[in-house]
Amino acid sequence: MLSRTADHLYWMSRYTERAENTARMLDVNYQTSLLPQSAEVAKYGWQGVLSISELLPLYNKKYEQITPNEVMEFMVKDESNASSIVSCLKAARENARAVRGALTTEAWETQNTTWLEVNRMLRQGDFERDPGQFFEWVKFRSHLSRGVTLGTMLQDEAFYFSRLGTFLERADNTARLVDVKFHALNSEFFGAATEEDQEYDFYHWSAILRSVSAFEVYRKVYRDVIKPERVAELLILRADMPRSLHASLAEVVSNLAKVQNEQSAETQRRAGKLLADLQYARVDEILATGLHAYLTQFLDRVNELGGRISQDFLVPAH
C-alpha cells in the first residue's frame, strides 16, 4: 500500500478519535462544574482540560483568564486550535477525502456528513443551547464512524492502518485523562476525610468513569463503592475494558503485526514490550512508585511509538 494512503487513513482515524476524546473530556468537566464547588476548584478543573491536551500556552496567548465558556469555545469551535473538535473533524474529513478510493461509500459519507452537520449545528447555536447534547452527538458520530469502518470495509491494510490510528490515539488520551484527573485532586487520593468530601469524591470519580463510558462497567466488575485505586486499575490494566490502556495497546500490537514490513521489527518489539508491562503490572505497584510518573513514562513511550510508526510506514521515502 502507498505510504501516503496509509498516512491519510491513520490520521483520519486519529482525528476522529481525538474529537471524541475531547468531547468526553469537556463533557465530564461540564457535568462536574454543575456540582457545588469553590471557584478555585472549578478553575483547576478547566485548567486540567487544557493541560491534558497541552494547550495551556496557546490558550493563555488568546485569553486573559480561564473561564468555562472561553475554554469550551476554544476547545470546540476555535479553528486556530488544531485539537479543537471542529479542527479534528475537519482534518478527519480532509484525510478521508484524500483517500476516497480506499474507503467504502458508507465510510466516506459518514465522515463527510459529520463535517457538514457540525458546521450547521455550530452556526445555529446548538452547542451554546445544550453543550451536553452536542458532546453526545460528537461521541455518537465517532462510534458511527468506527462501526461503519468495521461493518463495511475489507479487512486489508487500509482497515488495519485506520484501526492503528484509533487505538494509538485512545491509549494516549486515556492516559492523559487519568493522569490529570488523579493529579487534580491535589492530594494523596486515598480516602476522603469528611462525609462531604466523600460525597464530592463519589461524584468526581463517577464523572471520570462516565467520561470513558466505564461507570456501568465499574459497577459490574467491582460491585463496590468507587475507590480511586480501582478506577486506576480499571482504566489502566484491565484487558476487558474497551478504553483501558491495556486494551488499546493490545489492539495496536495486533494491527501492527498485520501490516509489518522489513523495517518495523523494532517498533513491534517496543509495542510488545509496552503491552507486556501492562499485562504483568499490578495497580498497587504502580501507585507505590507514583501514578503520575508511571503515566508520564507511558505517554512518552506511546508518543515514541507514534513517531516510529510514521517512520516505518507512513512517511513517503525521500
Side-chain angles (χ1 to χ4, degrees):
M1 168 181 258
L2 281 174
S3 54
R4 200 179 305 110
T5 307
D7 190 67
H8 285 304
L9 289 161
Y10 171 82
W11 283 105
M12 174 190 84
S13 297
R14 281 201 79 155
Y15 280 120
T16 304
E17 181 72 19
R18 192 173 299 175
E20 179 187 347
N21 284 302
T22 303
R24 286 175 177 280
M25 202 165 54
L26 288 169
D27 194 27
V28 68
N29 233 60
Y30 172 67
Q31 305 294 349
T32 315
S33 70
L34 303 175
L35 298 170
Q37 56 185 325
S38 71
E40 196 50 41
V41 169
K43 183 186 167 189
Y44 204 77
W46 289 108
Q47 195 175 322
V49 168
L50 295 166
S51 308
I52 289 177
S53 320
E54 295 176 9
L55 290 169
L56 209 46
L58 183 61
Y59 178 88
N60 287 334
K61 265 188 206 157
K62 295 192 75 163
Y63 299 97
E64 302 281 297
Q65 55 192 55
I66 292 175
T67 69
N69 287 348
E70 285 178 341
V71 174
M72 293 224 281
E73 181 87 9
F74 177 69
M75 295 293 286
V76 172
K77 298 163 76 169
D78 192 334
E79 293 201 35
S80 70
N81 166 13
S83 292
S84 71
I85 289 176
V86 85
S87 296
C88 288
L89 294 179
K90 182 180 185 180
R93 191 254 190 177
E94 290 304 310
N95 278 291
R97 196 163 61 106
V99 286
R100 174 71 189 82
L103 298 172
T104 57
T105 302
E106 291 87 344
W108 158 248
E109 291 288 347
T110 304
Q111 291 288 355
N112 195 38
T113 305
T114 302
W115 171 239
L116 297 173
E117 273 293 286
V118 78
N119 280 301
R120 182 192 62 73
M121 290 166 83
L122 292 177
R123 269 199 315 275
Q124 294 179 353
D126 289 17
F127 168 61
E128 286 78 4
R129 257 195 307 283
D130 189 345
Q133 187 72 41
F134 176 80
F135 296 138
E136 281 304 317
W137 178 85
V138 175
K139 288 193 270 181
F140 172 75
R141 295 304 299 185
S142 175
H143 289 319
L144 189 61
S145 171
R146 266 196 314 279
V148 165
T149 304
L150 197 55
T152 67
M153 277 180 69
L154 181 67
Q155 297 198 3
D156 60 359
E157 284 194 324
F159 175 80
Y160 300 135
F161 276 114
S162 77
R163 301 284 284 174
L164 200 50
T166 294
F167 291 104
L168 201 66
E169 186 67 32
R170 185 176 296 180
D172 178 277
N173 284 276
T174 300
R176 286 174 193 278
L177 183 83
V178 174
D179 187 28
V180 170
K181 287 300 180 188
F182 270 76
H183 229 46
L185 293 179
N186 240 351
S187 64
E188 281 308 305
F189 42 76
F190 288 103
T194 68
E195 204 166 302
E196 200 176 297
D197 280 351
Q198 279 174 339
E199 197 165 300
Y200 174 74
D201 237 31
F202 171 78
Y203 286 114
H204 179 88
W205 294 115
S206 56
I208 291 170
L209 288 168
R210 284 182 203 284
S211 75
V212 286
S213 301
F215 185 72
E216 287 92 349
V217 175
Y218 184 97
R219 285 277 188 246
K220 201 169 183 178
V221 172
Y222 298 108
R223 302 165 185 228
D224 196 355
V225 294
I226 299 179
K227 294 183 177 161
E229 61 272 34
R230 289 198 165 155
V231 173
E233 181 179 58
L234 183 71
L235 299 186
I236 295 171
L237 299 179
R238 282 201 69 109
D240 50 1
M241 163 63 207
R243 302 192 81 83
S244 74
L245 303 188
H246 187 161
S248 302
L249 247 289
E251 285 281 353
V252 168
V253 167
S254 118
N255 285 290
L256 262 179
K258 289 170 177 144
V259 295
Q260 62 185 326
N261 60 21
E262 40 305 344
Q263 70 234 45
S264 65
E266 180 58 17
T267 303
Q268 283 179 269
R269 188 189 74 79
R270 290 182 191 215
K273 190 166 184 299
L274 187 47
L275 176 59
D277 289 349
L278 288 163
Q279 278 170 335
Y280 297 106
R282 281 182 26 195
V283 77
D284 49 352
E285 289 170 358
I286 292 173
L287 296 177
T289 54
L291 186 68
H292 179 61
Y294 177 86
L295 289 169
T296 304
Q297 191 198 29
F298 177 86
L299 280 167
D300 287 345
R301 290 168 78 182
V302 163
N303 283 334
E304 188 202 19
L305 259 188
R308 296 192 69 90
I309 288 169
S310 288
Q311 259 177 340
D312 293 347
F313 303 103
L314 308 177
V315 180
H318 293 294

